[in-house]
Amino acid sequence: MGEKVFMQGNEAFAESAIRSGCKFFFGYPITPSSEMPEYYAKKAPEEGLTFIQAETEVAAFNMIAGVAATGKRGMTATSGPGFSLGCEAMSYMSAASLPSVVVDVMRPGPADGEILGSQGDYFQLTKGGGHGDYRTIVLAPYSVQEYADFAPLAFELAEKYLNPVVVASDGTLAKMMENVVLPERTSGPERQPWAVDGAKGRPHNDITTCGDGPEQWEAFNLRLQAKYQNIRDNEQRWEEYQTEDADVIIVAFGVYSRVAMAAMKMAREKGLKVGLIRPITLWPFPVKAFENLENKDFFVTELNSGQMVEDVKLAVKDKDRVEFYGRLGGMIPTPVELFNKLCELYMK
Amino acid sequence: MKSEIIFSGIGGQGTILMGKMVCTAASKKGLNVTLSPAYGQEKRGGRASCQVVISEEMGSPIISEADTILVMDEKSFDDYEGKVKAGGTLIVNSSMINKKPNRTDIKVMEIPFTEIATEVATARSANMVALGAVVKTLHIVDLDDAKAVVAAKMKPALVEANIKALEAGYHFDER
Amino acid sequence: MSIVYKRPEVFTDEYMKYCGGCGHGIINKVIGELIEENNWQEKAVFVWPIGCSVYADKYFKVDSICALHGRAPAVATGVKRATPENLVISYQGDGDLVSEGMSEIMHSAIRGEKFTVVFVNNAIYGMTGGQMAPTTLMGQHTTTSPYGRAEEFTGHPVNMAEIIAGIPGCYYSERVTVNTPGNIRKMKAAIKKAFEYQMEGKGLTFVEVVSPCPTGWNMKPVKALEWLSESVISTYPLGVFKDLGKEEK
């Protein structure tokens, strides 16, 4: 175990990515993600990193694709509007099976919107965002420690499944400072057998994303779908707290789940049997977490107008027992506000 | 044990620095600390504030009310008087704030940070006087913990003056 | 008996899908010859664009990746930065490079990215069926300029080799064509020079090849070559616009 350091979320992720052997960062400044490109830029000489401030997020995402295609670790970080621009490349990298890592530091949209914390990109991150039938693994950290831990995990999952991985952070977590134990240094993978890094000592590799007739392209798509099913079967991650005896289970993700946790504790102190499920993978959505929960109410709360709640309704047995509460625009409920909402709904 | 603190002032008053120092001292005691800086809309107009949560278990970074709030300027006073928990403490920089609080359910400490700092060191150390007062109120870290952080974070030439200011703030209520 | 002409061994046995009279086949062959002659098979990495050359990955026994429309220079930036020892070739058409990907090519040049761009300019969108490109000539009829390209709506053709040459990050920029055996030899010399500069670690190397598209131009191959020689080249004059290597000597 390394020493604890007191670090800001974005900087902790960037440092952790560097320690995970990610030597390439291409990015475009956008609040609240800019500390990551700044961190890479600053560390570049001493760590031997390549940092380029790209002309657009469109370019940044495609540069990452280029690095990933050589089998090396590269990443970008952006926020809402920038991720929208990158979605074309997310579709592309998914089809090309490129193991890239992208951080979306969510901020409230639509459009330019605001720059504080939000979870309004849930649909965009988990349902595609770009064109075509593709999925990306989405990890939602809830603390600076988990944010940092997800840098090596994101690369490992990306390389295991040959698929882009998104780390879904937000304006709150990005700017927060907490104690964190940074990961040990690793150098990333050896030469990848599928990479386009010059066909030295092996037959040539082609990475193609352009179809050659509907039969070929359907077969290509079915291979992608089989991969997604494999990920659904094996990578659902979540945490649950006191769900067994609970009458009401709060469902919340990201750093906002800590507000929900505080509200849950207040409820328990008042004798209300409240539990919590915190999805960690937003895609694949942890449907397994809901499998054996009979005869319970679900209270989904998000910093959006109700996005993950749709996945919860698909996962539970009785969708009429799912309630939703959300705030928009960068407003975040306090624990008391959330507790009062719980009382209003369930203490009739 | 759980403590929620807000430091609020304007840019240059060292509110974020104070927050970081309290976090550093508390985390040396093995406690969980979360510092959330205010930014965005709140940062416009020169506002600089941060919120600190110290607890044994990891807590919510969003707080309903704070146990202790330090206000360094009048605008912060207006915004945060109502956010102190009943029975909590509002520490007021009376060097810059002439208003009187309306609340009667909280403890109010009015301290002329600038005057005290000028007396024991220089006016620039006003935030260390404030830090001393906060540390005393929190009962989480003691004066020596705070001194160690100041010694570690400040340029050597500034350590002595700042520690004097810190001590003066800590012992203010004994005056 | 000696072999005086052969299909480059760097080619696969795949059937080339280019139309009769198209310039891509010639340009592909010349690049194949250069890779083979210089033993770059294990160093070359193609970045293919969306356009008629999108299937060219199947024609070469070298590493390749297909990029999205316009994004090849960004992908090539990533590939080259990650593997600077390789010969990275961004092969792009005019719709790809001048329209959708104008930002990516300009900024790659501005950064002085150390890869080679082979820019095939046929003054039209070939793959999508003969629509107007930013390089379409004034008055030229296409499916989206059925009454001829008009200044009022589309401005003027874009001379990329000259524009790129004007950017400090560009090391070498030349415009060549494929209308005669002599010009094909000049094209080969130009691409060879660009590749050599790249392998010496120089900045962006850019070769624009003016190429016929009989299908898109709605002409017989011979007529297309005539029109290229008479009209297209007067809009896109051949020549070297920048050669810092020559200046250094």
Side-chain angles (χ1 to χ4, degrees):
Chain A
M1 282 269 280
E3 202 195 337
K4 270 189 183 176
V5 285
F6 186 56
M7 272 186 108
Q8 188 220 44
N10 276 346
E11 293 192 344
F13 188 93
E15 174 62 31
S16 181
I18 293 168
R19 286 164 180 249
S20 307
C22 174
K23 291 197 173 295
F24 298 88
F25 189 108
F26 305 98
Y28 188 91
I30 180 168
T31 306
S33 75
S34 300
E35 291 85 4
M36 277 193 248
E38 286 166 356
Y39 196 87
Y40 259 83
K42 191 172 145 197
K43 292 279 180 176
E46 62 176 278
E47 295 275 2
L49 312 170
T50 298
F51 166 75
I52 293 177
Q53 181 164 323
E55 63 270 28
T56 57
E57 288 87 348
V58 173
F61 279 61
N62 281 283
M63 290 174 186
I64 294 306
V67 168
T70 69
K72 296 187 179 177
R73 288 182 169 179
M75 70 165 291
T76 189
T78 186
S79 181
F83 195 87
S84 293
L85 287 174
C87 279
E88 179 201 48
M90 293 306 290
S91 165
Y92 165 67
M93 292 191 284
S94 300
S97 293
L98 295 176
S100 54
V101 171
V102 175
V103 178
D104 180 30
V105 185
M106 290 186 278
R107 62 187 241 183
D112 309 301
E114 258 297 336
I115 56 174
L116 296 160
S118 165
Q119 299 180 328
D121 298 354
Y122 181 91
F123 280 155
Q124 186 181 39
L125 301 181
T126 60
K127 312 288 179 191
H131 57 287
D133 278 312
Y134 75 91
R135 299 287 182 173
T136 47
I137 297 170
V138 183
L139 301 168
Y142 82 137
S143 65
V144 175
Q145 180 66 60
E146 206 173 64
Y147 204 6
D149 290 345
F150 283 0
L153 176 65
F155 282 106
E156 284 157 22
L157 290 173
E159 285 151 9
K160 180 176 179 186
Y161 293 101
L162 296 182
N163 207 66
V165 173
V166 177
V167 177
S169 136
D170 70 15
T172 304
L173 181 59
K175 304 280 177 176
M176 244 166 63
M177 295 183 78
E178 290 188 317
N179 283 322
V180 54
V181 179
L182 294 162
E184 297 298 324
R185 284 183 179 270
T186 51
S187 55
E190 298 292 304
R191 193 181 177 202
Q192 299 278 22
W194 48 264
V196 290
D197 56 354
K200 202 169 173 60
R202 56 158 172 75
H204 70 283
N205 288 327
D206 296 314
I207 296 176
T208 182
T209 54
C210 195
D212 195 6
E215 295 83 1
Q216 180 270 343
W217 200 240
E218 184 180 50
F220 179 98
N221 264 280
L222 289 173
R223 283 197 298 279
L224 286 183
Q225 292 304 322
K227 171 166 80 179
Y228 301 148
Q229 193 53 49
N230 186 22
I231 297 172
R232 277 191 200 97
D233 291 343
N234 294 297
E235 298 300 340
Q236 293 180 27
R237 287 160 198 251
W238 73 92
E239 252 182 9
E240 53 187 60
Y241 309 88
Q242 295 182 277
T243 52
E244 265 181 35
D245 72 331
D247 298 319
V248 181
I249 296 174
I250 309 177
V251 189
F253 72 94
V255 71
Y256 177 54
S257 66
R258 286 162 59 176
V259 179
M261 175 81 80
M264 179 190 105
K265 284 179 183 165
M266 292 167 80
R268 284 273 168 182
E269 277 165 22
K270 301 270 187 218
L272 279 173
K273 288 182 177 170
V274 176
L276 176 75
I277 291 175
R278 174 174 78 91
I280 296 172
T281 49
L282 304 184
W283 195 89
F285 187 74
V287 288
K288 290 177 189 171
F290 298 84
E291 263 167 13
N292 299 314
L293 298 171
E294 303 274 351
N295 200 25
K296 293 185 192 294
D297 288 306
F298 293 90
F299 175 59
V300 182
T301 182
E302 302 172 68
L303 302 177
N304 59 41
S305 64
Q307 300 191 16
M308 178 179 70
V309 65
E310 294 188 2
D311 285 330
V312 175
K313 283 182 178 173
L314 288 171
V316 298
K317 290 189 175 63
D318 184 357
K319 71 180 167 58
D320 292 335
R321 294 186 69 171
V322 177
E323 297 283 352
F324 174 77
Y325 181 64
R327 292 292 300 266
L328 308 172
M331 296 300 292
I332 305 177
T334 63
V336 168
E337 180 182 342
L338 211 51
F339 169 70
N340 289 339
K341 194 73 203 171
L342 266 175
C343 295
E344 189 187 312
L345 283 167
Y346 300 105
M347 287 185 73
K348 284 164 194 164
Chain B
M1 199 288 306
K2 189 168 155 208
S3 194
E4 297 166 331
I5 315 138
I6 291 169
F7 300 82
S8 185
I10 49 179
Q13 289 184 317
T15 48
I16 312 277
L17 176 71
M18 283 185 256
K20 286 183 182 175
M21 285 179 155
V22 166
C23 285
T24 307
S27 62
K28 286 217 161 69
K29 297 215 169 279
L31 294 163
N32 278 292
V33 293
T34 301
L35 182 148
S36 310
Y39 73 108
Q41 293 288 12
E42 280 206 47
K43 200 168 180 178
R44 289 166 208 168
R47 165 68 57 82
S49 64
C50 68
Q51 176 182 295
V52 169
V53 178
I54 301 170
S55 55
E56 270 145 15
E57 286 184 342
M58 185 171 67
S60 166
I62 306 299
I63 61 179
S64 309
E65 293 173 307
D67 301 293
T68 305
I69 298 183
L70 167 71
V71 289
M72 297 293 282
D73 69 312
E74 276 198 6
K75 180 76 174 55
S76 298
F77 177 91
D78 294 342
D79 290 352
Y80 285 109
E81 184 192 349
K83 298 268 170 75
V84 185
K85 233 174 249 181
T89 307
L90 179 68
I91 305 175
V92 180
N93 177 14
S94 61
S95 300
M96 282 185 74
I97 302 169
N98 294 317
K99 292 183 177 173
K100 293 282 165 196
N102 297 318
R103 302 260 311 254
T104 53
D105 61 340
I106 57 172
K107 185 182 172 193
V108 178
M109 293 171 72
E110 293 172 296
I111 310 177
F113 297 134
T114 311
E115 284 80 353
I116 293 173
T118 312
E119 196 183 307
V120 301
T122 69
R124 292 176 59 118
S125 299
N127 56 15
M128 290 300 108
V129 179
L131 180 64
V134 170
V135 166
K136 181 75 165 272
T137 309
L138 293 182
H139 301 293
I140 290 174
V141 294
D142 56 35
L143 183 60
D144 286 340
D145 300 326
K147 279 184 184 175
V149 174
V150 171
K153 295 250 173 182
M154 296 266 179
K155 285 182 193 155
L158 302 175
V159 169
E160 200 188 327
N162 279 307
I163 284 184
K164 274 186 186 161
L166 181 77
E167 285 173 332
Y170 190 86
H171 295 299
F172 169 77
D173 54 356
E174 297 157 27
R175 284 183 166 224
Chain C
M1 200 171 73
S2 64
I3 296 170
V4 293
Y5 184 84
K6 68 176 175 72
R7 181 185 169 85
E9 280 174 24
V10 71
F11 277 169
T12 63
D13 295 330
E14 191 80 18
Y15 168 76
M16 278 194 179
K17 291 184 179 178
Y18 302 125
C19 307
C22 169
H24 275 304
I26 301 168
I27 303 162
N28 284 188
K29 187 198 71 176
V30 161
I31 293 173
E33 286 173 356
L34 286 169
I35 289 172
E36 193 165 309
E37 287 159 16
N38 293 279
N39 243 340
W40 284 324
Q41 289 92 324
E42 293 185 339
K43 281 184 178 289
V45 178
F46 277 110
V47 183
W48 297 111
I50 295 302
C52 291
S53 47
V54 70
Y55 297 112
D57 60 336
K58 297 181 175 60
Y59 310 152
F60 288 87
K61 289 183 232 166
V62 301
D63 278 7
S64 74
I65 178 165
C66 166
L68 285 168
H69 192 47
R71 316 298 174 223
V75 174
T77 294
V79 172
K80 183 70 183 182
R81 293 273 179 174
T83 55
E85 68 282 7
N86 284 342
L87 177 77
V88 178
I89 306 156
S90 179
Y91 187 103
Q92 299 182 260
D94 43 347
D96 187 65
L97 184 137
V98 193
S99 206
E100 188 85 47
M102 186 59 133
S103 170
E104 284 77 10
I105 185 60
M106 292 299 283
H107 283 275
S108 293
I110 289 166
R111 290 191 303 270
E113 294 295 342
K114 295 169 179 171
F115 56 81
T116 300
V117 180
V118 176
F119 166 44
V120 181
N121 178 5
N122 55 19
I124 206 152
Y125 282 77
M127 190 194 213
T128 46
Q131 294 84 5
M132 191 191 69
T135 44
T136 292
L137 304 195
M138 293 314 292
Q140 187 181 336
H141 295 252
T142 71
T143 59
T144 50
S145 60
Y147 311 108
R149 178 175 183 168
E151 183 184 352
E152 186 189 354
F153 300 109
T154 60
H156 285 262
V158 185
N159 290 51
M160 286 307 293
E162 291 89 328
I163 290 172
I164 296 295
I167 297 171
C170 167
Y171 191 81
Y172 172 69
S173 178
E174 181 168 355
R175 183 182 291 115
V176 293
T177 189
V178 290
N179 62 341
T180 65
N183 276 337
I184 292 169
R185 278 197 293 277
K186 282 185 188 162
M187 171 179 76
K188 186 170 178 181
I191 297 174
K192 184 179 184 200
K193 195 180 241 185
F195 286 174
E196 283 171 351
Y197 283 151
Q198 181 184 160
M199 296 314 273
E200 290 165 19
K202 306 298 187 190
L204 190 86
T205 44
F206 188 90
V207 180
E208 175 173 341
V209 186
V210 179
S211 177
C213 179
T215 307
W217 295 352
N218 203 16
M219 293 174 189
K220 292 250 161 55
V222 173
K223 176 77 181 123
L225 276 184
E226 283 168 17
W227 191 65
L228 183 149
S229 309
E230 288 159 13
S231 305
V232 185
I233 288 174
S234 55
T235 297
Y236 298 111
L238 308 180
V240 179
F241 299 99
K242 192 177 204 178
D243 186 351
L244 292 183
K246 206 170 181 182
E247 287 169 27
E248 280 168 12
K249 274 171 197 165

